[in-house]
Amino acid sequence: MEENREKFSSGLAVFFATLSSCVGLGNIWMFPYVVGENGGATFILIYLACVLIIGLPTLISEFALGRQTRKNIYGAVSSITDKKMFRVIGIFGVTASFCMLFFYTVVTGWVYSYVFKALTGAFKGADAQQVATMFNQTSLGPISPILWQLLALVVGGVILTMGVKSGIEKLTKTLMPVLIVLLALCAIRSVSLPNAMGGIDFLFKPDFSKVTFSVFLSALGLAFFKLSVGTGSMVTYSSYFTDDNNLIATGAKVAVADTCVSLIAGIAIFPAVFSFGQTPASGPGLLFNTVPLIFSKMPGGTILAVVFFLLTAMAATMAMISIMEVLIATFSEQFKIGRVKAIIINIIIIIVFGSLASLSANPDAPLANVTIFGLTFFDFFNAIISNVLLPINGFLVTILMGHVISNKVYTSQLTNDGTLKNEKLVNFITFLVRYITPALILIVFVKSFI
């Protein structure tokens, strides 16, 4: 099976596919509102440190695991070590992918519905109350949010039926450049607004008085979420990498590009937020409440709203299929079932449990009063991903690659069997993976519960 396994066709295909897994709602939805809630520029500096010291070494380790084994997340761990305790990485990876899709597809469905609203000019001339009512109706249900969620899943499923080269690679190579260009155009328009510098200062002028432990925890969770580590996405995608791909260079380029896209998204949103007197700490509703209100007041806002929500939908879809591919690869390879059948089975599972998240996302929704540990289904799936499954899996992957497998195997992957002359860099990455990265993950994880 490994010999006949599909691979990406080139280094450029690898870069765009991997970047597409990172650039999703995390950049356009989660990054802006988390930055807004945690002090702007100060949070960004802490986030960058988390990416460099924790996120990037974990990402490179997942690359090495995936390409070394050429298997899905569960099969990869099982084949690289006979220590059964580490198989929990595969179990947690699949569980994390499911939980993420349960709530991620809800938000993706909202984005799809907002593309339709933008196309019909629903935001034109709308005031704050009307925009709030739109989002309330979109997320309240009970039928429409589930239908939009199902539409997003069907779109993702159709793409995945085409396979790695004809589906994932072709889509990401086409849409990623378009997404970046459109986002840049929105950013240029945003900074040209009156009083836009308030948003620029918010993003790039640090205020260290706002630094708390919760800021560190949020930065770590966002770094894992945005680099797609811990779910198995990067292990799965790297199992399709070409043999000559430079894993360290790819990881660095993806981390830098993902951060740049996040900052461009911030530049597209926060100057406009300040220009129209909105608050940057608007929480998860920033994308659906504040942004449409801004477009309603902006000259040419109807066209920009269409562009903005189309690119958001593209980003969400590309990230969604990367998470779905974890499940499809695992089901088809571990259970020996056809790819199309695996896609259908997983869509059914996701929509059944995802509907619980959909029907609890709004405070007035039918399941909003049903809680797990005091959290709604929507918030529970989100919290268990960011605060539990991703950090634990990231920790276990670094322990596996840094201490359990032979150093020869790890070094061989990072040097491409010695063809890359990067020994000093490999030694530095190995030091981080063995000692620094897992220690920091563990400290933050334990401290969060204390």
Side-chain angles (χ1 to χ4, degrees):
M1 180 178 292
E2 286 72 40
E3 293 179 358
N4 298 323
R5 190 181 184 83
E6 275 195 281
K7 295 180 182 178
F8 294 123
S9 62
S10 65
L12 185 64
V14 165
F15 171 72
F16 280 130
T18 310
L19 180 60
S20 73
S21 180
C22 301
V23 176
L25 288 175
N27 293 69
I28 303 173
W29 172 59
M30 184 172 284
F31 183 84
Y33 90 72
V34 173
V35 169
E37 289 183 331
N38 289 278
T42 306
F43 174 84
I44 291 176
L45 290 175
I46 297 172
Y47 166 78
L48 292 175
C50 287
V51 168
L52 181 63
I53 303 173
I54 300 175
L56 185 56
T58 309
L59 175 64
I60 292 170
S61 296
E62 292 199 357
F63 283 171
L65 174 60
R67 192 173 66 173
Q68 171 68 27
T69 59
R70 300 288 184 191
K71 292 179 181 290
N72 62 80
I73 178 64
Y74 187 85
V77 177
S78 300
S79 66
I80 206 169
T81 179
D82 57 2
K83 297 182 183 297
K84 293 183 178 180
M85 63 170 290
F86 284 96
R87 292 181 184 176
V88 74
I89 294 174
I91 296 171
F92 278 8
V94 171
T95 303
S97 295
F98 270 125
C99 288
M100 186 171 288
L101 287 168
F102 293 159
F103 83 88
Y104 195 91
T105 54
V106 174
V107 185
T108 304
W110 295 346
V111 172
Y112 275 42
S113 73
Y114 268 58
V115 172
F116 177 77
K117 287 180 173 64
L119 287 169
T120 56
F123 306 134
K124 187 175 182 180
D127 58 26
Q129 182 59 47
Q130 290 171 321
V131 170
T133 300
M134 286 182 203
F135 181 57
N136 187 60
Q137 293 172 342
T138 299
S139 59
L140 182 59
I143 302 300
S144 61
I146 296 177
L147 291 178
W148 286 111
Q149 182 182 18
L150 180 60
L151 175 62
L153 280 166
V154 170
V155 171
V158 169
I159 295 167
L160 288 169
T161 59
M162 301 175 188
V164 174
K165 283 188 178 180
S166 300
I168 297 171
E169 178 179 322
K170 190 173 183 179
L171 176 81
T172 54
K173 283 176 68 176
T174 302
L175 292 188
M176 274 306 304
V178 174
L179 184 151
I180 294 170
V181 170
L182 291 179
L183 191 58
L185 290 174
C186 288
I188 292 170
R189 181 67 184 97
S190 182
V191 297
S192 67
L193 295 169
N195 303 316
M197 288 308 298
I200 299 298
D201 288 342
F202 177 79
L203 273 175
F204 297 110
K205 188 176 180 180
D207 179 2
F208 294 103
S209 66
K210 297 182 179 179
V211 176
T212 63
F213 178 75
S214 65
V215 172
F216 279 95
L217 184 61
S218 296
L220 176 62
L222 187 62
F224 270 81
F225 185 95
K226 288 189 53 340
L227 289 180
S228 290
V229 293
T231 64
S233 296
M234 291 309 184
V235 175
T236 304
Y237 267 18
S238 59
S239 71
Y240 306 133
F241 280 12
T242 54
D243 293 326
D244 61 349
N245 187 266
N246 186 329
L247 299 186
I248 296 177
T250 296
K253 287 187 288 187
V254 166
V256 170
D258 174 66
T259 301
C260 289
V261 173
S262 295
L263 292 175
I264 294 171
I267 294 171
I269 291 174
F270 287 116
V273 167
F274 278 80
S275 179
F276 291 102
Q278 303 300 308
T279 173
S282 300
L286 180 66
L287 179 64
F288 299 102
N289 284 328
T290 304
V291 172
L293 182 61
I294 291 168
F295 286 133
S296 73
K297 299 177 179 180
M298 187 185 299
T302 299
I303 296 175
L304 282 174
V306 172
V307 171
F308 183 86
F309 283 106
L310 272 174
L311 71 88
T312 306
M314 288 190 292
T317 301
M318 287 187 287
M320 180 182 67
I321 64 173
S322 75
I323 307 169
M324 291 179 69
E325 181 63 18
V326 176
L327 304 176
I328 306 311
T330 302
F331 272 60
S332 59
E333 293 170 12
Q334 297 301 128
F335 302 127
K336 311 301 181 186
I337 60 178
R339 186 174 178 86
V340 174
K341 186 177 180 180
I343 291 170
I344 294 172
I345 291 172
N346 278 283
I347 287 177
I348 292 172
I349 294 172
I350 294 165
I351 198 65
V352 168
F353 288 93
S355 62
L356 300 178
S358 183
L359 296 177
S360 62
N362 187 300
D364 297 319
L367 298 182
N369 294 323
V370 180
T371 60
I372 304 174
F373 301 114
L375 300 171
T376 64
F377 287 111
F378 182 90
D379 291 334
F380 174 75
F381 292 139
N382 190 356
I384 198 171
I385 282 288
S386 299
N387 299 335
V388 181
L389 293 176
L390 298 191
I392 288 178
N393 245 21
F395 173 78
L396 290 175
V397 166
T398 56
I399 295 298
L400 173 66
M401 302 306 289
H403 295 276
V404 177
I405 69 166
S406 70
N407 186 57
K408 183 179 179 181
V409 171
Y410 192 53
T411 302
S412 174
Q413 281 298 317
L414 299 191
T415 63
N416 288 355
D417 291 326
T419 60
L420 300 174
K421 304 305 177 183
N422 57 352
E423 289 82 3
K424 291 184 179 180
L425 183 57
V426 169
N427 290 336
F428 177 67
I429 295 293
T430 303
F431 175 76
L432 288 178
V433 168
R434 282 182 174 175
Y435 306 110
I436 305 301
T437 301
L440 290 176
I441 295 173
L442 188 61
I443 289 170
V444 175
F445 179 74
V446 173
K447 182 68 175 176
S448 69
F449 283 93
I450 294 176

